Amino acid sequence: MPMEQTQLPAPASGPTRPRGRAPRGALWRFLLQVDKAVEAVAVGLLAAMIVIVFVSVVTRKLFSFVFFWSEEVTLLCLTTFSFAGIAIGFREKLHLSMDVIAGFLPRKVNWVLDRIIDLAIFAFGVYLVVKGWAWTELAHLSTLSATGLPNSVVYAVIPITGVLTCVYAALQLAGVDTRRFQHVDEEIKRS
Amino acid sequence: MTSNDMTAVWVLCGSFVLLLLLRFPVALTLALSSIATLSYMGIDAGVVAQQMLQGVNMFSLLAIPFFILTGQILGEGGLANRIVRFANLFVGRLPGGLSVVNSVACMFFGNLSGSAIADTSAIGSVMIPVMKQKGYSAEYAVGVTISSSIQGVIVPPSHNLILYSIAAAGIAGGLSIERVFLAGVVPGFLLLATLIAVGLIISAMRRYPRGEPTARAEIPGIIVHGLLSLTPAVIILGSVMTGWATPTEGGALAVVYSLVLAGLIYRELKPRQLWPVLVRTFRTVLMVFFLIGASQAFGYAMNMLHLPDLITQWVLAISNEPWIILLLINVLLLLLGGPMDMAPMILILTPILLPICMKLGMDPVHFGILLVFNAGMGLLTPPVGTVLFVGCAIGKVSVNAGTRAMLPFFAAMIVALLLITYVPAISLWLPNLVAR
């Protein structure tokens, strides 16, 4: 577990205010807005996919008609949703890991391990930026069959995920608690 | 295999085990091991990113968030209460009736949520306090709840079965989700029967009371609300079985139906709860999707090294007797179920174990049920045992006491597991009958 952390401000609607000091300044506020937008896009894509698939079934069964773009756009939403989930999973420390040995290790060793993991996540983010950008450039030469969009719109999510992953890993290395989903369950109950 | 390939195998397996033990996230471990191995082999490591993208670029994958969201919406819409009352109507008057009601309600709820943890949280929150109030010990109430919640992972439409179908599709040359769903039905009922039997025996020994009768005037309402609540499962299964829609499309229909039921008819899901429910679904799904993408990359690295073939040869060299190999596989899965969660188990072990079982003549559908059943049982065992911990927290009992109370049910589940392993007809009879 991290030894000392400041906390990223929870969404305004959250039930509790964070206790830790949060960095201030225009750049920080901008980053928070970007972060909120990414989260909103990812969750919004889930809603969009439900609507597209539902409408496709209804139009196909009732009117023998399917929007030509529906499957392609759904898959585009799905890949974006999945890759945004990778970055947000790092932000929330949600990705599953095996903690069998951690319990037997001294606190300081675990702290060092946390830093090593954060560094590895940062490196993975750099990998996604570099290799993802190469794939995006390559894919820009072809187009998607139904919508005619460049294929790079599918691959662009890889380097974007890489950038977000680097930012979250760097913040965690700096001791900032980036988690923001902790209050979701309480929020549902409170409503 | 050249010595260079052998070193690459060590890089892949060694880095994977090392990073897992250092508690790196499982999906990150899969990706990093694949990058290291492919780089060592002189292959552009960029292929890992591309494979990850391909891994999640599947329409059938969408069924998973849709199924989970349906369960979440109904869960917030008071599903657990309605299902408990529905189950109580039919089995509540048996000796130790609440124990049986718990098992049946868990099957119904699990049928909709596909999640043992959601099942334990929802049904446990309703049933455990009531059972304690009626004289059942808290430990027993926890034991029966957590054991019964495992039904959710195997009874269709379970998203774990979808996950297996996706993981196995490339190896088995395409796998009909309809057959996999149908294959979970009889094992699900077998599990329910064993749980009820153990519950009845323990209840008789401890003289737990029968449930109270339901007032005649309430019966029609309970039946209507119960059936309305179970309809999403019928929508998904019905659309898949009749070929009317794919599981993904069935899932989208079930989401919309659940929204109408919970939001407009029961008015228990308020509009402002919708966004947090979507966020919670996203939170659940994001780790699964990263695992799917990373497993695809890891599978690519394994295939480049012909590792599944190699492992198959090694395992089959242990014994010529299929029953011994299957027993070893069960022991391995039960042991791994302790420290590993369900999704990584399904995604990592399917490419390794399925080829072995297919060499033994086992139907991939049958293996899927075996794997998911084992992985489900792993949710009950420490050190990870998430369902065990959630159940103990709800019942306010220690993990040791909860484990002891769960043991008779766990023993019965092992009997059911052995029957499922060695009697293929339990899994395959229904799919062979309906989905030829």
Side-chain angles (χ1 to χ4, degrees):
Chain A
M1 290 297 291
M3 288 176 121
E4 190 185 337
Q5 288 190 326
T6 53
Q7 202 169 25
L8 198 75
S13 55
T16 56
R17 304 302 301 166
R19 285 179 187 173
R21 279 183 306 110
R24 290 160 190 250
L27 176 65
W28 184 251
R29 282 197 297 278
F30 171 74
L31 282 175
L32 274 178
Q33 291 309 315
V34 172
D35 182 47
K36 276 185 188 172
V38 171
E39 188 183 301
V41 166
V43 179
L45 283 174
L46 176 59
M49 289 187 286
I50 294 164
V51 172
I52 295 172
V53 175
F54 177 74
V55 170
S56 294
V57 179
V58 171
T59 57
R60 193 180 74 224
K61 292 296 172 187
L62 296 184
F63 310 110
S64 304
F65 161 80
V66 178
F67 292 106
F68 69 93
W69 48 264
S70 60
E71 186 160 342
E72 203 166 272
V73 172
T74 307
L75 283 175
L76 180 61
C77 292
L78 179 60
T79 47
T80 310
F81 171 81
S82 307
F83 270 76
I86 293 175
I88 291 178
F90 284 130
R91 185 190 81 183
E92 299 294 319
K93 293 187 176 287
L94 276 175
H95 293 304
L96 296 167
S97 56
M98 284 171 58
D99 291 337
V100 183
I101 290 182
F104 299 102
L105 297 174
R107 197 160 173 251
K108 278 191 175 173
V109 176
N110 272 322
W111 186 87
V112 173
L113 270 181
D114 276 328
R115 302 285 80 77
I116 294 172
I117 292 168
D118 287 340
L119 277 172
I121 293 170
F122 187 86
F124 181 64
V126 173
Y127 163 85
L128 289 178
V129 172
V130 175
K131 296 297 180 183
W133 183 251
W135 279 112
T136 307
E137 279 189 324
L138 196 66
H140 197 63
L141 303 171
S142 57
T143 52
L144 294 168
S145 56
T147 54
L149 290 167
N151 220 345
S152 51
V153 295
V154 179
Y155 282 86
V157 72
I158 305 177
I160 293 171
T161 300
V163 171
L164 290 169
T165 302
C166 287
V167 171
Y168 295 137
L171 287 171
Q172 285 166 1
L173 273 167
V176 178
D177 184 354
T178 52
R179 290 170 296 172
R180 288 152 60 89
F181 280 173
Q182 293 151 300
H183 309 301
V184 169
D185 295 329
E186 290 168 43
E187 229 175 288
I188 293 171
K189 277 187 192 144
R190 223 162 44 105
S191 303
Chain B
M1 180 175 263
T2 64
S3 63
N4 214 28
D5 285 350
M6 205 61 215
T7 314
V9 170
W10 278 109
V11 171
L12 185 72
C13 301
S15 59
F16 176 70
V17 173
L18 179 71
L19 296 181
L20 268 192
L21 291 178
L22 292 177
R23 65 181 172 72
F24 275 55
V26 181
L28 181 66
T29 301
L30 290 166
L32 292 179
S33 306
S34 311
I35 292 169
T37 308
L38 294 175
S39 301
Y40 175 80
M41 293 169 75
I43 299 169
D44 178 14
V47 78
V48 170
Q50 194 251 359
Q51 286 291 319
M52 281 173 59
L53 190 102
Q54 291 307 318
V56 293
N57 195 18
M58 272 185 291
F59 193 70
S60 55
L61 210 60
L62 253 184
I64 296 174
F66 289 177
F67 288 8
I68 292 174
L69 183 58
T70 301
Q72 300 264 4
I73 292 168
L74 290 173
E76 289 309 318
L79 172 74
N81 275 315
R82 280 190 287 278
I83 279 185
V84 166
R85 295 182 75 194
F86 186 63
N88 186 51
L89 190 65
F90 296 101
V91 291
R93 293 291 290 151
L94 290 170
L98 286 180
S99 170
V100 185
V101 168
N102 195 329
S103 295
V104 174
C106 276
M107 191 190 74
F108 285 148
F109 192 92
N111 181 250
L112 293 164
S113 74
S115 158
I117 298 169
D119 212 348
T120 303
S121 312
I123 299 296
S125 304
V126 177
M127 286 303 298
I128 293 174
V130 176
M131 287 177 79
K132 280 158 80 173
Q133 198 184 6
K134 298 288 178 188
Y136 291 77
S137 76
E139 292 80 10
Y140 176 75
V142 169
V144 71
T145 306
I146 59 176
S147 309
S148 301
S149 70
I150 301 306
Q151 296 170 97
V153 305
I154 198 157
V155 176
S158 156
H159 63 263
N160 297 294
L161 296 176
I162 298 246
L163 205 58
Y164 170 73
S165 306
I166 290 165
I171 305 155
L175 203 57
S176 151
I177 185 60
E178 180 189 1
R179 277 178 62 80
V180 180
F181 271 175
L182 283 169
V185 174
V186 180
F189 279 111
L190 174 69
L191 178 58
L192 176 65
T194 53
L195 293 169
I196 288 177
V198 174
L200 287 174
I201 292 167
I202 296 176
S203 298
M205 284 165 62
R206 298 186 185 175
R207 298 179 192 281
Y208 285 142
R210 290 172 190 269
E212 283 158 19
T214 308
R216 196 173 286 261
E218 290 180 11
I219 293 174
I222 291 172
I223 292 176
V224 169
H225 292 310
L227 292 177
L228 280 175
S229 299
L230 291 172
T231 301
V234 177
I235 291 174
I236 295 169
L237 285 174
S239 57
V240 174
M241 298 308 154
T242 56
W244 195 80
T246 63
T248 302
E249 292 169 340
L253 294 174
V255 168
V256 174
Y257 171 86
S258 311
L259 279 173
V260 171
L261 188 70
L264 299 179
I265 297 176
Y266 291 132
R267 295 180 183 276
E268 287 184 6
L269 182 80
K270 296 170 186 70
R272 64 176 175 273
Q273 283 176 301
L274 199 54
W275 188 258
V277 166
L278 282 168
V279 171
R280 196 156 68 177
T281 304
F282 175 55
R283 192 179 63 177
T284 309
V285 167
L286 61 86
M287 45 191 147
V288 178
F289 279 13
F290 187 19
L291 274 166
I292 291 171
S295 303
Q296 171 91 3
F298 194 75
Y300 179 85
M302 286 206 303
N303 283 332
M304 293 302 287
L305 292 164
H306 306 287
L307 202 52
D309 295 338
L310 204 67
I311 295 172
T312 304
Q313 283 172 22
W314 286 342
V315 173
L316 294 181
I318 296 171
S319 171
N320 290 326
E321 295 290 339
W323 73 270
I324 293 178
I325 304 288
L326 289 177
L327 189 65
L328 289 175
I329 287 175
N330 274 324
V331 171
L332 174 79
L333 291 173
L334 283 176
L335 289 176
L336 286 175
M340 277 179 96
D341 226 308
M342 276 201 79
M345 253 184 101
I346 294 170
L347 291 165
I348 296 169
L349 295 178
T350 298
I352 297 170
L353 297 179
L354 180 57
I356 300 171
C357 291
M358 284 173 68
K359 268 266 195 277
L360 295 174
M362 194 175 192
D363 191 304
V365 172
H366 180 200
F367 173 73
I369 300 302
L370 180 82
L371 174 65
V372 173
F373 196 106
N374 267 298
M377 286 177 73
L379 296 172
L380 296 175
T381 51
V384 171
T386 32
V387 168
L388 173 68
F389 298 142
V390 171
C392 290
I394 294 170
K396 297 185 178 64
V397 300
S398 71
V399 172
N400 279 343
T403 307
R404 273 199 303 277
M406 175 266 289
L407 282 179
F409 295 98
F410 198 78
M413 287 161 92
I414 288 181
V415 173
L417 173 65
L418 291 174
L419 281 171
I420 290 167
T421 305
Y422 294 116
V423 186
I426 292 174
S427 306
L428 299 177
W429 170 73
L430 194 58
N432 286 344
L433 187 75
V434 179
R436 284 187 176 276

